[in-house]
Amino acid sequence: MQLTAGVYKVDGLRAANVYLVAVDDGLLLVDTGMPGNAKRIVAFIESTGHHAADLRYIVLTHCDIDHIGSAARLKELTGARVAIHQLDGPVLAGQQRAQKGGALMAVFGRLFRIRHVVPDLLLKDGDVVGGLTVIHVPGHTAGSIVLVRKDGVVFSGDALLSDNAGQVRPPRPRLALDPAQAQVSAERIKALPIKLLCTGHGAPVRF
Ligand SMILES: [Zn+2]
């Protein structure tokens, strides 16, 4: 589904939202959803008239399995470079256990074998990747980021959520590494000049 010029929400995936963004030198993917999504994402890229090899970047908003699950396979299928904040990179690479414990993550971990991948790009606050500016918004995880396009399209991952009707929802404290910090980060995101908010879960929000 096309949301606005050069921004698509990948249809038909489980769990977290995945967005495809046209950038200067090709395409950029925001998150990958659960394991098992890679072929569907490639098919979606082709449905927009592009080729798998046009994918330049796979940018992960944070290191939870419902966002990074298909990153390793997608990198193989497309040759894209994988980018994540430097504090979440070691979890993606399998060099560090996820800091969040919790029953939910334990269940996911048993149900789905996650394939780790060493990131090609370690991001920090203020970096620009594929023309999108990185803002570090810790709390949900240590290395959570939002991505901001100049025209006010904002990709918030799980740092700011929405419901299925397209209303903004706060991040869930129970799922946060640091709930208080997540709340502060959510307020920072809300203060941005947002035209279109593309959340990690829920419908896009238009302002
Ligand atoms: Zn999520």
Side-chain angles (χ1 to χ4, degrees), residues 137-162:
V137 286
H140 183 70
T141 64
S144 289
I145 57 168
V146 300
L147 297 163
V148 180
R149 199 168 79 167
K150 283 193 186 73
D151 62 354
V153 180
V154 173
F155 302 91
S156 62
D158 287 4
L160 189 61
L161 301 171
S162 57

Side-chain angles (χ1 to χ4, degrees), residues 20 44 68 129 175:
L20 184 67
F44 184 85
I68 67 172
V129 57
L175 300 180

Side-chain angles (χ1 to χ4, degrees), residues 21 28-31 58-61 83 123 127-137 145-150 152-157 192 196-198:
V21 186
L28 177 152
L29 197 73
V30 180
D31 287 333
I58 299 165
V59 185
L60 303 167
T61 59
L123 304 172
D127 282 352
V128 177
V129 57
L132 303 179
T133 301
V134 174
I135 302 179
H136 183 209
V137 286
I145 57 168
V146 300
L147 297 163
V148 180
R149 199 168 79 167
K150 283 193 186 73
V153 180
V154 173
F155 302 91
S156 62
L192 296 170
L196 175 66
L197 180 68
C198 300

Side-chain angles (χ1 to χ4, degrees), residues 16 62 64 66-67 140 158 201:
H62 62 289
D64 285 346
D66 57 325
H67 297 256
H140 183 70
D158 287 4
H201 302 271

Side-chain angles (χ1 to χ4, degrees), residues 13 18 29-39 41-42 55-84 89 91-93 113-120:
L13 300 181
V18 177
L29 197 73
V30 180
D31 287 333
T32 68
M34 292 296 284
N37 280 341
K39 282 196 174 149
I41 292 170
V42 167
L55 191 66
R56 295 283 174 271
Y57 306 100
I58 299 165
V59 185
L60 303 167
T61 59
H62 62 289
C63 64
D64 285 346
I65 186 173
D66 57 325
H67 297 256
I68 67 172
S70 292
R73 184 74 184 120
L74 263 178
K75 180 179 162 73
E76 289 170 356
L77 291 176
T78 65
R81 290 191 284 171
V82 175
I84 191 167
V91 178
L92 177 68
R113 267 191 73 80
I114 184 149
R115 281 187 56 205
H116 295 286
V117 55
V118 176
D120 302 287

